[in-house]
Amino acid sequence: MLTENHINHKRIRVRIPRDYHQEPVISRLVSDCGLTINITAAILGANAVGDGWFDLDLKGTNEQIAHGLQYLHDLKLEVWDGSEPSAW
């Protein structure tokens, strides 16, 4: 039987535009949403020029994961979920 406290994983890819490079976006997923984050891949240009792409494994309850995804949506960041990794 699953409870709300059951820990789940969700893989996502997020594009963080240059305008957000000084914002602690990933850190806030941890501190504000209570998620554990594993950065499984990242692309960030030299001297942080251009957009950054991050493959993240989110670990938390369904509620924490939903809160984190809503936070990213509120920032208007592009987010792809792990349902079709071949499209990445």
Side-chain angles (χ1 to χ4, degrees):
M1 176 183 203
L2 296 178
T3 65
E4 286 190 28
N5 292 329
H6 181 75
I7 301 299
N8 295 299
H9 289 265
K10 179 155 186 78
R11 270 188 67 206
I12 64 168
R13 175 171 285 175
V14 62
R15 182 181 69 88
I16 300 179
R18 178 178 51 198
D19 297 345
Y20 284 97
H21 285 188
Q22 298 302 314
E23 297 293 323
V25 173
I26 295 173
S27 177
R28 287 192 177 134
L29 289 171
V30 175
S31 63
D32 295 354
C33 303
L35 293 167
T36 299
I37 305 291
N38 184 25
I39 302 171
T40 58
I43 300 171
L44 187 60
N47 300 319
V49 175
D51 297 346
W53 297 83
F54 298 87
D55 290 355
L56 305 176
D57 181 32
L58 310 178
K59 182 178 172 184
T61 64
N62 286 337
E63 183 178 320
Q64 290 168 323
I65 292 171
H67 184 227
L69 294 174
Q70 184 62 50
Y71 164 70
L72 297 173
H73 175 75
D74 290 348
L75 293 177
K76 299 186 181 351
L77 300 181
E78 290 181 68
V79 177
W80 294 264
D81 69 18
S83 63
E84 296 181 36
S86 61
W88 294 5

